[in-house]
Amino acid sequence: MAFTGTHETSRHGGGRPAPSGGGWHRLGNALKTTVLLAGLTALVLAIGQRLGGAQGLMYAGFFAVVMNFGSYWFSDKIALAIHGAQPLPYEQAPWLHQMVERLAARAGMPKPKVYILPTRAPNAFATGRSPKHAAVAVTAGILDILDQRELEGVLAHEIGHVRNRDTLIGTVAATLAGIISYAAQMLFWFGGSMLGRSDDEEGGGLPGALANLGLLLVAPIAATLLQLAVSRSREYGADAAGAELSGDPDALADALLKLERGAELMPYDRAPATSHLFIVNPLHHGGVMSLFSTHPPIPERVRRLREMGVRAGGARRARGGWEYAY
């Protein structure tokens, strides 16, 4: 598919690199990352212990180490492969590559690789263990519904995730959360028999079955809540970074409103454990289920972005553009 000429040339120049956000922000991200990984790993170990006692605990510990190691080195490839993302050649969309390159330069980082997902559901995400090993992916649908200004805001948001070092922990969390949900189901159906644990051992019989059922119910919810503790705050941080890098908070706000509507009309349920990677929740759970969404409410995100636009308006008018408004 060809995307050449779909959008007009950006009205923003290269600008100067945006500030990096400060050491306290990075320290806060590091602490949240440590808490999340420790909590998810503890759940993996607890399920392993229930499945096979000491032997199960040993296997679970080994498995958690392997998965964390694999997620670290191959996080970008894992996320992209799960969603069938394909590299987008430069000649098919030079304007899109130039937009990514310009935003990455403002962020003071190398240009991420650019991928496209073959789905009409409008969305985007970023992945990679560091700014030097990062990728941004957009769906075919997002190119249809956003104009150039809005798309630049979305890409700035994703590059903000990369700059803030959010992408690595997002993919690792998705991997571990998927493992926890799968292992909890194994625990319910097979108990300790898979690892040779008999009902005569401690925790067997009816009490053991009830404990397994409780863990089956609690483990996925606990994994989701641990993800929420980090994912929601990081979306706000990436929104602020995106507004800073693009110089146009209202563009990102407009894009979020369109993408929310797109998620309502075309939910994207491939690999639900990775839903927090996307700029808007592709599953679009409304009502009570929105309490368990990995994304903060779109109206609140839009409100904050609108306030940024109002605060920066004076600087924009005084300096003749958004580039130096922050």
Side-chain angles (χ1 to χ4, degrees), residues 10-310:
S10 173
R11 62 185 174 86
H12 299 311
R16 62 186 175 187
S20 61
W24 287 110
H25 178 76
R26 296 284 178 83
L27 178 61
N29 264 359
L31 291 174
K32 291 176 182 178
T33 296
T34 301
V35 171
L36 176 63
L37 287 181
L40 291 175
T41 301
L43 281 174
V44 172
L45 295 176
I47 294 174
Q49 196 278 332
R50 286 301 309 169
L51 276 171
Q55 185 181 14
L57 183 63
M58 180 182 67
Y59 285 144
F62 175 77
F63 195 52
V65 169
V66 170
M67 291 308 300
N68 276 314
F69 178 83
S71 295
Y72 177 81
W73 289 105
F74 306 108
S75 61
D76 54 340
K77 295 179 177 62
I78 291 172
L80 294 167
I82 286 174
H83 294 282
Q86 299 296 324
L88 181 61
Y90 184 93
E91 59 273 14
Q92 287 191 18
W95 57 270
L96 183 59
H97 281 268
Q98 291 164 11
M99 189 182 294
V100 172
E101 185 173 13
R102 180 170 58 252
L103 291 168
R106 291 178 189 171
M109 52 177 274
K111 176 197 171 197
K113 297 177 182 177
V114 181
Y115 286 78
I116 187 163
L117 277 64
T119 174
R120 306 313 302 178
N123 226 314
F125 70 88
T127 185
R129 66 181 184 270
S130 70
K132 292 183 179 180
H133 303 87
V136 294
V138 297
T139 66
I142 201 174
L143 301 178
D144 292 333
I145 72 168
L146 299 188
D147 61 27
Q148 178 272 333
R149 174 174 162 268
E150 295 161 345
L151 184 61
E152 185 164 354
V154 168
L155 291 173
H157 169 101
E158 297 305 334
I159 289 175
H161 271 309
V162 176
R163 192 187 70 177
N164 293 344
R165 307 300 200 277
D166 296 338
T167 49
L168 170 62
I169 183 59
T171 307
V172 172
T175 302
L176 286 176
I179 293 171
I180 288 169
S181 298
Y182 181 69
Q185 295 178 41
M186 290 173 55
L187 175 63
F188 177 72
W189 291 110
F190 299 103
S193 62
M194 294 182 65
L195 295 174
R197 191 179 186 187
S198 69
D199 288 342
D200 294 333
E201 297 181 50
E202 183 181 356
L206 181 59
L210 292 176
N212 290 350
L213 178 60
L215 195 56
L216 170 69
L217 298 174
V218 170
I221 295 175
T224 299
L225 292 176
L226 283 168
Q227 287 180 277
L228 293 183
V230 176
S231 297
R232 290 196 170 198
S233 64
R234 292 189 174 188
E235 286 304 314
Y236 287 131
D239 284 345
E244 172 191 320
L245 293 173
S246 68
D248 194 346
D250 288 306
L252 179 54
D254 294 341
L256 290 175
L257 292 173
K258 285 187 178 181
L259 294 175
E260 181 184 37
R261 180 60 176 161
E264 292 175 359
L265 298 174
M266 289 178 287
Y268 179 67
D269 59 358
R270 185 167 181 172
T274 66
S275 63
H276 64 282
L277 297 178
F278 290 86
I279 187 170
V280 298
N281 191 346
L283 305 176
H284 191 74
H285 292 310
V288 176
M289 290 305 297
S290 64
L291 298 175
F292 295 93
S293 173
T294 53
H295 295 69
I298 293 295
E300 176 61 18
R301 295 172 68 181
V302 169
R303 184 190 67 79
R304 295 187 182 201
L305 288 166
R306 299 292 191 210
E307 289 182 354
M308 292 178 198
V310 171

